[in-house]
Amino acid sequence: MSGVPIIRGAGELAALIGDWRAEGATIGVVPTMGALHEGHLSLVRAAQGECDRVIVTLFVNPRQFNNPEDFAKYPRTEDADAAILAPLAVDALFVPDAAEVYPPGHATVVSVGGIDTLLEGAHRPGHFDGVATVVALLLNLTRADRAYFGEKDWQQLQVVRQMVADLRMPVRIVACPSVRAEDGVALSSRNQRLSPDARRRAAAIPQALTAAARAIEGGAAPEPVLEDARATLRDAGLGPLDYLELRDALSLAEPRPGHEARLLVAVWLDGVRLIDNVPVCLVS
Ligand SMILES: Nc1ncnc2c1ncn2[C@@H]1O[C@H](COP(=O)(O)OP(=O)(O)OP(=O)(O)O)[C@@H](O)[C@H]1O
Ligand SMILES: CC(C)(CO)[C@@H](O)C(=O)[O-]
Ligand code: BAL
């Protein structure tokens, strides 16, 4: 079995993309930071179902990390990532280094106003500027027709959607459902950093979220329900809790009756910061 073609340079990538374009191929891109798991592979499969050519990008983007320790400890497993992709016959794995993505003189930041200051943005200053900038770069470098993102990073998905809409970028953003382990924990690269005991305790996150979502959809007043959910996390030994909030699904502002909402959480567990979210239907 031949491995996935690995490309490291933007020039090499441009030549390959040009060949694909010449053959009239539709191009799908799955941007990642590596440490691939079934959640990423669900995006790859979605792309392969809709696009002629699929490229996975692997770049641990320094500009979206506000915490140097988080960046330093982020898992880097390129060989394993290439191996997990090989059976899927992905057309290319683009693995640039920081100098390739941000060459000397790079001076542009893409900033999506409003949503980037809420929740994740409030706790990770500059994070979404880093995300928006690198996603814009990756979309331009791959000339993708469709780009695939997970609902696991719900706020990121809304930021990318806003950027693409505002800049009239010629790419369709495709949202893919969160893939979860049997105990409901959302698959995430950072889960690798959890001890076995901490990983078991992480199950309190989906438990708290789904119980709260059901209660609110059943007509319960949100705030007491949210307090119970926060207590569930505390009782499971998770914390500090950055946020556990019910928000409008698109604006991430206060929920609006009759509109889709999202229940979002960011909580620390033994020094690892985990996020998750679930839909809450407020439409009567
Ligand atoms: N469990 C999942 N289900 C669906 N999509 C996912 C899942 N985990 C990650 N993704 C998506 O894969 C893409 C790459 O995410 P990334 O490489 O940051 O992995 P990650 O699992 O989110 O890691 P971490 O959250 O620890 O940074 C993003 O669009 C993300 O939303
Ligand atoms: C979209 C992304 C690859 C940009 O670095 C990253 O934020 C991620 O993996 O979710
Ligand atoms: N998928 C999450 C990206 C980050 O934490 O920077």
Side-chain angles (χ1 to χ4, degrees), residues 173-198:
I173 301 303
V174 181
C176 300
S178 297
V179 175
R180 298 179 180 274
E182 284 190 10
D183 63 357
V185 172
L187 302 189
S188 172
S189 304
R190 287 184 176 85
N191 292 354
Q192 294 181 25
R193 294 175 50 198
L194 298 173
S195 67
D197 174 63

Side-chain angles (χ1 to χ4, degrees), residues 31-34 37 39-40 43 74 149-150 152-153 156 177-179 187-190:
T32 82
M33 298 202 295
H37 51 65
H40 300 107
L43 275 57
Y74 197 87
F149 292 83
K152 198 269 289 180
D153 297 271
Q156 166 176 274
S178 297
V179 175
L187 302 189
S188 172
S189 304
R190 287 184 176 85

Side-chain angles (χ1 to χ4, degrees), residues 33 64-65 70 74 124 127 131 152-153 156 190 275:
M33 298 202 295
Q64 69 189 67
F65 285 82
D70 189 22
Y74 197 87
R124 299 183 68 180
H127 169 65
V131 168
K152 198 269 289 180
D153 297 271
Q156 166 176 274
R190 287 184 176 85
I275 67 172

